[in-house]
Amino acid sequence: FLDIQNKPQYRVHTFYFNANYYALMILFVECMCIYKFFLATTLKEHVYYTLAGVANLFALFLTGGRVAWVGLAVGVVVMVFVNRWWKTLIAVLGAAGGAVGLLALKPGLIPRLAQRGFKLERRRQIWQAAWLMIKDHGLFGGGPFAYYNWYEGYKDLYIATYGLKSYKKYKLGISAPHAHTMFLEPFISFGVIGTLLIVTYIAMETSKVLKLITKNIDYTLASLILGCCAVTLSFCILDFPILWHQTGPFLFLMLGSADMYKKELKKC
């Protein structure tokens, strides 16, 4: 039966590190389905990409993701807005509002949401431990998955700082593969210096994407790139599934695809 429990072993993750990493890749696929739908010229193509999108929505449900649905809504709104489909944008916003209302009345439609809601107590515990790590290694960081490699060594410091009662509040303590937010994890993994380099690169590539829109070069491609960025940012507020070899490289390849218009961009 389709009752997706909270435990990782009951959530579909296929060959990804965990279900949330798989959920983010599904969101990227959804963005690509929408992109192809925008470019479709026949009814057959429209039906094909609609069915593909629906199939992936079912897969997204099986991951048990909660934040992923928020990311999906944000990504769709961004893509429709950039493509200037104003009537569709109104319909999407209406559908999103209706979905929120329906979940408020029947949260059991997403089992994990009904069981746990959007409780942040466990994440807050992880964030507190992450902050201790940043104070020690904030300049250069410790490389990808530094949090996972370090948290065992921070148990005593955590207890001394926040108290034993806080540490014992959850059975898992402060254990986690990462810091579960883009506001902390980059500084643990890459430090201030590494994070600034990454942000600089992203800003440079984003400026090219924006020129695709402002100069009317290819706003449909721009919608795909910005849609993928939007779902990532939305997802990574309370998680960080972009830090994985299937999701991270895909986003950077997508972000760099504006360079297919290198000649046109040089003229701008």
Side-chain angles (χ1 to χ4, degrees):
F1 52 93
L2 297 177
D3 185 8
I4 311 303
Q5 300 294 321
N6 187 55
K7 292 183 178 179
Q9 62 264 35
Y10 299 135
R11 300 170 59 194
V12 174
H13 57 80
T14 64
F15 49 87
Y16 288 79
F17 185 69
N18 68 26
N20 284 336
Y21 290 74
Y22 180 40
L24 180 58
M25 187 57 76
I26 291 173
L27 295 185
F28 290 153
V29 173
E30 291 289 355
C31 289
M32 289 188 284
C33 287
I34 295 170
Y35 170 74
K36 295 296 287 184
F37 185 89
F38 285 142
L39 295 179
T41 56
T42 66
L43 177 61
K44 182 179 179 181
E45 289 176 317
H46 281 120
V47 171
Y48 177 82
Y49 291 112
T50 299
L51 292 176
V54 171
N56 278 281
L57 285 179
F58 179 66
L60 185 63
F61 172 80
L62 294 179
T63 66
R66 292 168 292 175
V67 183
W69 293 99
V70 177
L72 176 65
V74 173
V76 172
V77 169
V78 167
M79 292 189 70
V80 174
F81 176 80
V82 173
N83 269 285
R84 309 169 190 177
W85 285 27
W86 308 122
K87 291 181 180 179
T88 305
L89 177 61
I90 294 172
V92 168
L93 291 173
V100 171
L102 183 61
L103 286 174
L105 294 173
K106 293 187 176 182
L109 293 173
I110 300 180
R112 285 191 71 232
L113 183 62
Q115 296 162 18
R116 297 181 61 82
F118 280 105
K119 293 181 180 179
L120 298 178
E121 286 85 354
R122 164 102 171 105
R123 276 176 167 76
R124 189 179 295 115
Q125 197 173 27
I126 294 170
W127 296 340
Q128 289 172 331
W131 179 242
L132 296 176
M133 297 176 189
I134 291 174
K135 288 196 290 186
D136 288 343
H137 307 278
L139 191 59
F140 295 104
F145 286 85
Y147 184 98
Y148 180 74
N149 293 323
W150 286 344
Y151 78 82
E152 286 281 359
Y154 275 83
K155 287 181 179 179
D156 292 338
L157 181 59
Y158 183 93
I159 293 171
T161 306
Y162 301 109
L164 182 62
K165 184 178 179 181
S166 175
Y167 182 79
K168 288 186 174 181
K169 190 172 184 180
Y170 295 95
K171 292 180 181 179
L172 296 174
I174 57 175
S175 65
H178 49 70
H180 281 74
T181 178
M182 63 183 176
F183 300 113
L184 295 174
E185 179 59 36
F187 299 104
I188 297 175
S189 293
F190 312 113
V192 173
I193 293 176
T195 300
L196 286 176
L197 290 174
I198 294 172
V199 170
T200 300
Y201 170 76
I202 292 174
M204 291 170 58
E205 293 302 310
T206 302
S207 67
K208 298 176 185 177
V209 178
L210 295 177
K211 285 182 180 179
L212 296 182
I213 302 171
T214 57
K215 302 301 179 181
N216 262 338
I217 297 173
D218 190 343
Y219 53 80
T220 306
L221 175 63
S223 75
L224 172 61
I225 300 171
L226 294 178
C228 289
C229 291
V231 299
T232 302
L233 291 173
S234 303
F235 209 144
C236 289
I237 291 174
L238 296 176
D239 211 314
F240 206 71
I242 196 61
L243 189 65
W244 191 243
H245 58 263
Q246 290 141 322
T247 53
F250 178 88
L251 179 65
F252 279 104
L253 286 170
M254 186 66 69
L255 190 60
S257 63
D259 280 320
M260 69 171 68
Y261 291 106
K262 196 171 184 178
K263 292 181 180 179
E264 290 83 350
L265 290 171
K266 280 185 176 180
K267 297 176 183 178
C268 299

